Every structure is written in structure tokens, then in C-alpha cells.
Amino acid sequence: MTIHPAPLTSAILQLKRERNAVILAHNYQLPEIQDVADFVGDSLDLSRKAAGTTADVVVFCGVHFMAETASILCPDKTVLLPDIRAGCPMADMITAEDLRAKKRELPDAAVVCYVNSSAEVKAESDYCCTSANAEAIVNNLDRDQILFVPDQYLGSYVRSRTGKNIELWPGFCPTHMRIQPEAVLARKKEYPRATVVVHPECRPEVIALADRVLSTNGLVTFAGTSDAEEIIVGTEVGIIHRLSKENPRKRFIPASDLAVCPNMKRITLDKVMTSLRELAPEVRVPEPVRSRARLAVDRMLAAGRGEYAPRGRQL
Ligand code: 13P
Ligand code: SF4
């Protein structure tokens, strides 16, 4: 029997109350998931929300590393990922063993890992970062050499902004790779007055065509505060739902209709309801990996509060 979205949404809200749960959704989630969520945001925002919640259960509508980050920050809570197969191919491009081998090659480098990485990789890293704070975290580092994993494009963008000596890992996001410079040029021709905003996971040739390079929340803030009436959006297309909802008078044009992350789209209302009913699938990061990974994540959150924690110092 197919349950229509409205009763399904009511059933989810009812179960959510019974479970004392909070629903967190990434900006790339399907529109109906964004609409049922308590918070919609980028990776940084959602990890802050997870860290601050008083709920017993966190339903993470996103991908596996995001649910892991919530578990790292909230070990006493039940963290659910409604489809356990929702992974991130970029996060899978480096393992803890790969990173340990690279660290042996570069023993003096500070290791900065993009949040799009496994808990095991975070546990081997000195600092975590997201696309919203990567530049600030790297800028704050008083180190001669930095190893940045796994996104080579975010890493090279940060290198171009900070001038730091950054060694890159050859990872990438297959979804952002589908945004080709030719597509952006064609959109610019079609909408000559539009502002081009792209995510730093895009390839450098696309970044070179952009007016602004921003995280997904950065893009939401920009859309709400700038005078731009037309924005060409160089990131996963799911964000257009939130942008249009919050700015009904503005026009948002996807840089490429091919920029769809199949993993983000695995989360459906049906699966959210089932996971709340069954309290599964659960994502729980075991010790000692959790505590080691937490140091890197806490250093990132501390940097956002203006605190600086050098490597090796407990927060
Ligand atoms: P942000 O929302 O943190 O900018 O990240 C984009 C992303 O690719 C998440 O997987
Ligand atoms: Fe991973 Fe890219 Fe999907 Fe984000 S958009 S979850 S980086 S594959």
C-alpha cells in the first residue's frame, strides 16, 4: 500500500515526538525530506546542531560520514541513518591504512581531513574541516607542511587562497565532477546577468568561472543577503529547493542538471518512518576510534569559536 506524503509526514512527526527524536537534513536532501526536518544545513551546521541537541535520537538524513560525525559528537544518543547504503564515494577514496602510510612519508605534516571522510580517517588526523571553514582552519595552522585529505579540489582551492604548502590526496566528488566548465559557460550565455556561485568541490576550471566559491550554507546566506536576482548554482541540485523556498522572488539556475548525488537521494520519507519505528539502521562509532576522531572534530569546532588548539593538546 502506498502511503501519501501528507499522512506519511504526520506519522513521522508523531513517531518523532514519541521517540524524542530530532531530524537533521543536509541541503542536498529530497524536498520532502527537507520539509519534514527540524534543521536543514551544511556539514558544519549539522555537526553543531547534533552536538547541541537534547534529543535522545538523531535521524540523520544525509550520508554515512555525517551520521558518524553525529555519533562522534553524541556517543550517548542513538544516531540513525535511514538508508545504511547512503555513503560518500569521496570519503571512500582514502582508508585509515592509506593515511597512516602517507603520514610515514610526511612525518612532520599536520593532517587536515575534510569532514567527508570515515571516522577511522578522522582518528588519524590532527584537524577536521568542512567546506565552510577549511580556509580558516588551514590559515590558522602554524605548520610548514600540511597534508589535506581526501578532496584534491577543496585542498587545491585552499592552497590557492592561503599560499600554504599543502600536499593533496587525489580524492574527488563524482557529483561535482559532472559540472563541466562548458556547462557553466553555456548557462552564463543564457543568463548574462546571473551571479555564478560554486562549491569548492568543483574542478578548478569551474572555480575559475565563479563569482563566489561557497559551502552550501554559504550559498544559502549569499542568496538571502545579496542583491543578485539570478544565481547559477554550481553544486548538487537538491539545494535549489531550499534556495527557492527561502527566496521565492529570485531565480536559481543549476549549473548542470547532472549534478545529482545518488547517495543523498537514497533517503526517502518511507525510510525515515521505518528507521524511527525500528530505531535502525544505527550508526555508532566504536571506541577508541571515536575519542581519537573527536579530537580532530573538536579542534575544528573550537576554531569556529575563535579558540586555537595546537596538535597534541587536549581540548
Ligand atoms: P557542505 O554542505 O558542507 O558544503 O558539503 C557539501 C557536500 O558535499 C556534503 O557531502
Ligand atoms: Fe559525497 Fe559528493 Fe555526494 Fe557530497 S555530493 S555526499 S561529496 S558524493
Side-chain angles (χ1 to χ4, degrees), residues 179-187 206 209:
I179 304 175
Q180 297 283 358
E182 295 74 17
V184 180
L185 286 169
R187 292 295 204 220
V206 168
L209 296 171

Side-chain angles (χ1 to χ4, degrees), residues 109-307:
V111 181
V112 178
C113 73
Y114 188 24
V115 71
N116 298 41
S117 54
S118 67
E120 287 82 3
V121 164
K122 290 184 177 76
E124 290 293 332
S125 302
D126 299 310
Y127 300 85
C128 185
C129 72
T130 75
S131 58
N133 58 22
E135 187 181 328
I137 300 267
V138 166
N139 244 335
N140 263 341
L141 285 180
D142 187 17
R143 299 293 289 267
D144 292 337
Q145 192 179 38
I146 293 158
L147 169 60
F148 191 94
V149 301
D151 187 6
Q152 61 181 303
Y153 296 119
L154 175 61
S156 69
Y157 175 68
V158 170
R159 180 161 66 188
S160 73
R161 300 280 301 172
T162 61
K164 299 251 181 177
N165 174 17
I166 302 180
E167 183 87 11
L168 302 172
W169 187 263
F172 60 90
C173 164
T175 297
H176 284 84
M177 281 312 84
R178 286 190 212 109
I179 304 175
Q180 297 283 358
E182 295 74 17
V184 180
L185 286 169
R187 292 295 204 220
K188 274 169 76 107
K189 214 165 161 188
E190 227 179 313
Y191 299 94
R193 290 182 304 122
T195 303
V196 181
V197 184
V198 309
H199 195 275
E201 285 177 17
C202 288
R203 50 178 91 232
E205 308 88 282
V206 168
I207 288 182
L209 296 171
D211 298 301
R212 301 293 298 265
V213 182
L214 295 168
S215 76
T216 58
N217 262 29
L219 172 49
V220 170
T221 305
F222 177 80
T225 53
S226 85
D227 294 336
E229 283 170 13
E230 293 180 338
I231 299 179
I232 296 171
V233 176
T235 191
E236 212 272 353
V237 297
I239 197 170
I240 297 209
H241 174 67
R242 179 169 176 195
L243 292 171
S244 309
K245 197 167 148 182
E246 293 184 10
N247 307 278
R249 277 190 239 285
K250 298 192 176 184
R251 181 171 201 156
F252 300 99
I253 306 115
S256 167
D257 295 324
L258 302 176
V260 179
C261 174
N263 284 287
M264 286 282 179
K265 306 307 184 221
R266 283 184 185 277
I267 311 295
T268 60
L269 285 179
D270 273 305
K271 290 177 192 169
V272 171
M273 190 172 78
T274 308
S275 73
L276 269 168
R277 199 175 49 219
E278 296 176 1
L279 290 182
E282 187 180 357
V283 173
R284 190 173 287 274
V285 178
E287 295 292 357
V289 170
R290 190 197 72 81
S291 296
R292 292 184 61 211
R294 173 139 197 178
L295 279 176
V297 175
D298 274 347
R299 286 192 191 108
M300 166 179 85
L301 297 175
R305 295 189 297 266
E307 299 158 22

